[in-house]
Amino acid sequence: MKSYHKLTTGVLALIIAAMTFTACTDEIKFGNAFIEKTPGGTVSLDTVFGSAEYTKQFLVGLYVLQYYGLPFKNATSAPWSASYWNSKYDAMTDLYQQHFSGSAAYNKYYGGLLTSNDDALISYNHDFVWETIRRCWLLIDNIDNVPELTDAERKNIVAQAKCLAAARYFDLYSVYGGLPIIDHTFTGVEGTVETKRATAEQTAEFMVKLLDEAIPDLLWAYNGNTIETDAANNTGRWTQAAAMALKAKILLFNASPLYNADQPYYDGTTQAEKDSIVWHGGFKQERWQRALNACADFFQKNAANGNFFGLNQATGTTPEAYRQAYRMGYVYQGSPEIIHRTAVTTTTSNKASYQWCNFVGPFGSSNGPFRHSYGPTEEYVEMFPWSNGTPFDWEQDSIDGKIYGEKGQLFYKYTQLKTSVKKDASRDPRLYENAIVNGQTLSLNWTTGKAEGDTYELWVGGEHESNDVAILGADGKTQITEKDVARFSTGYGTIKYYLGQEYFGKFVHWVYLSYSEMLLMYAECLAQCGQLEEAIAKVDEVRARVGLKGLKYGQAAYKGNKANLPDLNTKEGVLEEILRERACELGMSNNRYYDMIRYKRTDWMTKRLHGLVTYRMMQNSKREWVRSSRPYIGDDKKAGQKEPSVFDYERFELQNRARYLWDYSPNDLEAKKWLLLPLPLSEINKNYGLIQNPGW
């Protein structure tokens, strides 16, 4: 669907620009879609839905309004989530720390200053949600008036519209809870319309109903050989596979402890809790079984369709081959693991100065480079196992069984050769695709999968990190600097969705639903239903794609204190490993944030986070190893010295900006209120029935 990234010209452009019609005006108002008519619009519904071509263009316009997870413009207008002044969900978790004082994460979330007067991560008002839903119902309610469409075409268009509406509902449901149910267009003459917030379960059921109605009239995937069924013209359209995957994800949320629990997440005294808007009023195991059934249905249907979707597999067994398989699994438009994606532009460009990848690396513009540099935390990096699947441990190198000393090799195992150094990746290949670490090559060739170029010098004084994190004094003492608007302020760098020079000129999309996510959702539902061995098998399938051995093998090979590991014989232990695997596999995709709120993990919100200071170790005249702030690229490399291979490390607590929740206990109400976002006070004051979320 090549045209979905842009607004179509002609009638559709007029519709979207004016957002007004001569029929079907709204009397009930909420969100930007339901405020006032924009004056000056003259396009009528008869014009729009009097032509099959215009109707199809109208549908294309709905796709433009989907959620896109990467900031791509400098604006405070809708969609709010597109602005780099806002922040990604991931910056509010324990995986990343944003070092840009102009961002919402830095100010509103880390500083604890968010109020109901602010736009939250995804805005209730300013992210085109209600506009999309309103237009979906306009299309559905008027489809029978459109000439020149076959019955099958009408059903397919309606099915796509229902998926679009369900997805937009989920975008808000996942962070706000129960929502007003809009199930038709308002005529303004039909009496009272129910616009108060529905319960959390009613909202979930409404989304599922839309998807269940849509599924029979959709193609499993666009894999045909006609213009209506091929991938080239239809990539990005909602499919049966995507609808079934979204249904499973909604039911997963519906079954999760935030909603599905014996006690509400706050204190039980708020109106939202009493009305079951932010929880279900009790726990039911059958909610997990229903989510499990939805996952099983997806995989059974996929098998019946020749396993069209699957993990993108490596063509070799090297760490680089596994990295490329993982990377191309989410980046490549034709990847078999992308179930649904959204897009806003066809290519990256130096002119698109506010795009994600343009603010995070050497392509940063003069307006403010590195503003999208979400620094991976030390906590995140330690979630990635060793390359043989053994859990990471600072005290135990599980690759060769040696205890770390001053020659600790956290990321690569170095072997000294006569004139060079052999370097082998020592960690989970996914680490190098979710964080830039010391010693990592600047490029991974998209065609050959080979690592190329110089390596990142992320030590104090190194060519790339320089003094983003710390300054090493002449006395050997370290002064932490942790700079703002710097690329490596945690000692690590962002790489997910930012992939260097090769990415420029390539298609940029946001993966909304993926096959790997489906496998891990399936694993979670299996574990929640007591099928632990089956759950572990699904996780192992994800790990195998990057050459990692299974969870149980990894624990058996672990040389440290096994009492510190999650117990894989218990549901709690398996779930903990699933949540860790989701972080490793699904970085920078919002899923860690979703997991944090779904499982009420306020302990993730309140734990103090760390970065890593790395030092290059050099021998002095006495052959003693001492810390050095000397770069290698430059004089040392020109002189023919070997690539540095001896390093020392020091964890440090992040201070810029220290998060205010670090001063609270996980059980404090001040922490718990952040499990759902505040609805805008401006909407509540319209008195159409909105009730504020607890604590706000």
Side-chain angles (χ1 to χ4, degrees):
M1 199 166 70
K2 297 177 180 177
S3 62
Y4 277 26
H5 63 269
K6 61 186 178 183
L7 296 181
T8 306
T9 58
V11 171
L12 175 64
L14 291 174
I15 295 168
I16 292 182
M19 279 174 44
T20 182
F21 305 91
T22 58
C24 205
T25 56
D26 299 327
E27 185 173 86
I28 303 300
K29 309 176 181 70
F30 62 95
N32 279 357
F34 301 91
I35 300 178
E36 297 293 342
K37 287 179 58 179
T38 303
T42 59
V43 178
S44 71
L45 290 178
D46 289 341
T47 300
V48 176
F49 299 116
S51 161
E53 181 60 28
Y54 288 164
T55 299
K56 291 176 181 179
Q57 289 183 13
F58 186 85
L59 176 64
V60 170
L62 297 179
Y63 276 90
V64 179
L65 304 180
Q66 294 178 107
Y67 174 78
Y68 181 80
L70 302 175
F72 64 90
K73 70 176 184 178
N74 176 26
T76 55
S77 60
W80 170 234
S81 57
S83 172
Y84 78 80
W85 297 101
N86 192 14
S87 298
K88 283 185 57 55
Y89 289 85
D90 307 86
M92 269 53 74
T93 72
D94 55 345
L95 303 190
Y96 300 93
Q97 180 86 349
Q98 194 172 15
H99 287 84
F100 170 36
S101 60
S103 70
Y106 193 100
N107 289 302
K108 300 296 185 179
Y109 292 84
Y110 300 169
L113 301 178
L114 185 75
T115 72
S116 58
N117 288 314
D118 298 307
D119 280 299
L121 293 173
I122 181 168
S123 173
Y124 187 89
N125 281 347
H126 300 132
D127 260 296
F128 291 149
V129 173
W130 300 113
E131 290 88 336
T132 308
I133 293 167
R134 175 178 184 266
R135 295 176 196 180
C136 285
W137 286 114
L138 281 172
L139 177 55
I140 294 167
D141 290 348
N142 287 277
I143 194 68
D144 288 339
N145 300 326
V146 181
E148 303 168 355
L149 289 177
T150 67
D151 187 55
E153 286 178 318
R154 293 180 203 277
K155 289 180 178 180
N156 183 262
I157 289 172
V158 167
Q160 290 183 60
K162 288 182 177 180
C163 289
L164 287 160
R168 297 269 50 193
Y169 258 98
F170 177 74
D171 294 336
L172 296 188
Y173 169 79
S174 59
V175 294
Y176 289 104
L179 301 166
I181 301 298
I182 305 303
D183 58 4
H184 61 287
T185 50
F186 298 145
T187 66
V189 296
E190 59 188 320
T192 302
V193 178
E194 190 73 10
T195 56
K196 69 179 184 180
R197 294 181 72 180
T199 69
E201 193 142 42
Q202 287 170 340
T203 306
E205 292 296 340
F206 176 63
M207 292 183 284
V208 169
K209 178 176 181 290
L210 288 175
L211 295 170
D212 280 342
E213 291 171 350
I215 286 169
D217 296 318
L218 295 168
L219 295 176
W220 175 251
Y222 285 95
N223 58 346
N225 55 11
T226 69
I227 195 170
E228 291 83 13
T229 63
D230 67 9
N233 289 285
N234 297 284
T235 296
R237 286 186 185 269
W238 278 91
T239 61
Q240 192 175 92
M244 292 181 72
L246 180 57
K247 174 183 175 179
K249 189 166 185 173
I250 291 167
L251 290 174
L252 180 85
F253 256 84
N254 190 59
S256 295
L258 175 70
Y259 296 137
N260 188 24
D262 288 328
Q263 296 294 327
Y265 71 85
Y266 199 64
D267 64 2
T269 66
T270 67
Q271 194 62 48
E273 292 167 299
K274 293 177 181 178
D275 291 349
S276 298
I277 293 172
V278 294
W279 73 309
H280 296 331
F283 171 80
K284 291 182 180 179
Q285 178 61 34
E286 51 262 38
R287 294 188 180 109
W288 278 113
Q289 185 62 50
R290 190 178 175 200
L292 175 59
N293 293 343
C295 289
D297 289 345
F298 171 88
F299 286 100
Q300 290 168 7
K301 189 74 171 182
N302 191 47
N305 282 274
N307 288 312
F308 181 86
F309 295 99
L311 293 175
N312 190 53
Q313 297 296 336
T315 57
T317 58
T318 64
E320 289 79 11
Y322 291 129
R323 282 183 58 188
Q324 188 191 40
Y326 176 87
R327 175 182 296 190
M328 302 310 284
Y330 78 88
V331 165
Y332 178 52
Q333 184 172 334
S335 166
E337 63 187 80
I338 298 176
I339 299 173
H340 188 68
R341 60 87 170 156
T342 61
V344 293
T345 184
T346 53
T347 64
T348 53
S349 166
N350 285 319
K351 294 180 180 179
S353 58
Y354 297 99
Q355 284 184 13
W356 170 265
C357 59
N358 207 43
F359 263 127
V360 76
F363 310 106
S365 75
S366 60
N367 293 329
F370 318 130
R371 292 184 181 181
H372 289 166
S373 188
Y374 292 65
T377 64
E378 179 60 24
E379 282 72 14
Y380 188 22
V381 172
E382 291 177 14
M383 293 180 191
F384 293 89
W386 298 107
S387 60
N388 64 351
T390 308
F392 173 80
D393 189 325
W394 270 96
E395 301 300 326
Q396 190 74 36
D397 180 346
S398 295
I399 301 303
D400 56 19
K402 295 180 180 178
I403 301 296
Y404 274 129
E406 63 182 8
K407 296 185 179 182
Q409 299 175 17
L410 282 178
F411 312 115
Y412 293 93
K413 182 179 179 181
Y414 297 90
T415 303
Q416 299 294 328
L417 304 177
K418 187 173 182 179
T419 59
S420 63
V421 176
K422 182 176 181 292
K423 185 168 63 175
D424 297 301
S426 59
R427 300 285 289 278
D428 179 345
R430 296 173 298 184
L431 169 60
Y432 311 96
E433 291 297 308
N434 282 280
I436 296 172
V437 302
N438 184 56
Q440 187 166 320
T441 54
L442 297 183
S443 175
L444 184 72
N445 188 288
W446 284 46
T447 303
T448 65
K450 300 293 184 183
E452 298 174 338
D454 287 323
T455 61
Y456 281 103
E457 298 183 3
L458 300 192
W459 60 78
V460 178
E463 173 71 14
H464 302 99
E465 183 179 295
S466 184
N467 301 120
D468 286 1
V469 178
I471 297 173
L472 182 62
D475 58 359
K477 293 183 179 180
T478 303
Q479 177 185 345
I480 302 297
T481 60
E482 202 183 338
K483 291 181 180 177
D484 270 344
V485 195
R487 191 176 183 192
F488 302 109
S489 295
T490 62
Y492 301 105
T494 310
I495 191 171
K496 193 72 177 283
Y497 281 103
Y498 164 72
L499 299 168
Q501 183 70 51
E502 305 96 324
Y503 209 9
F504 270 69
K506 295 207 181 330
F507 194 90
V508 184
H509 59 208
W510 165 257
V511 179
Y512 193 83
L513 291 162
S514 73
Y515 188 83
S516 59
E517 182 184 354
M518 278 300 304
L519 281 171
L520 292 171
M521 287 198 297
Y522 199 6
E524 182 181 342
C525 293
L526 285 165
Q528 286 285 4
C529 292
Q531 301 178 52
L532 302 186
E533 292 300 322
E534 293 86 348
I536 291 171
K538 296 302 176 187
V539 175
D540 289 350
E541 187 175 340
V542 175
R543 288 162 64 93
R545 188 264 292 275
V546 290
L548 296 179
K549 294 182 179 178
L551 288 176
K552 287 196 170 182
Y553 171 89
Q555 287 204 358
Y558 179 68
K559 305 296 183 182
N561 183 357
K562 294 187 179 181
N564 296 328
L565 301 178
D567 186 350
L568 297 181
N569 294 310
T570 67
K571 180 176 79 171
E572 292 72 23
V574 173
L575 286 171
E576 198 66 23
E577 280 295 85
I578 290 171
L579 293 178
R580 183 196 55 75
E581 279 291 322
R582 283 173 59 87
C584 295
E585 179 70 23
L586 306 173
M588 202 58 75
S589 67
N590 296 344
N591 277 290
R592 184 66 170 183
Y593 185 84
Y594 290 154
D595 293 347
M596 181 173 71
I597 62 176
R598 287 192 305 116
Y599 277 90
K600 301 187 284 192
R601 295 302 295 263
T602 49
D603 57 317
W604 295 354
M605 297 179 181
T606 55
K607 69 179 177 184
R608 295 181 178 273
L609 302 176
H610 299 79
L612 187 73
V613 181
T614 301
Y615 305 94
R616 178 185 178 185
M617 303 298 289
M618 299 185 70
Q619 288 183 308
N620 60 19
S621 59
K622 298 179 182 179
R623 308 294 292 175
E624 298 170 327
W625 289 98
V626 296
R627 293 175 174 179
S628 172
S629 58
R630 183 182 177 91
Y632 168 70
I633 296 174
D635 292 343
D636 288 358
K637 183 177 180 181
K638 290 177 182 177
Q641 290 188 27
K642 295 180 181 179
E643 178 185 330
S645 60
V646 182
F647 303 98
D648 196 9
Y649 309 101
E650 182 180 334
R651 290 169 105 251
F652 72 96
E653 185 176 302
L654 298 176
Q655 293 296 324
N656 187 22
R657 182 174 192 178
R659 306 186 190 185
Y660 94 105
L661 282 180
W662 292 350
D663 292 329
Y664 289 88
S665 160
N667 294 320
D668 285 337
L669 293 181
E670 185 63 21
K672 290 181 177 181
K673 81 174 187 180
W674 288 87
L675 290 171
L676 288 179
L677 298 176
L679 274 72
L681 184 61
S682 61
E683 289 297 298
I684 293 173
N685 287 342
K686 291 177 182 177
N687 296 318
Y688 58 76
L690 284 190
I691 295 173
Q692 185 59 277
N693 281 336
W696 297 101

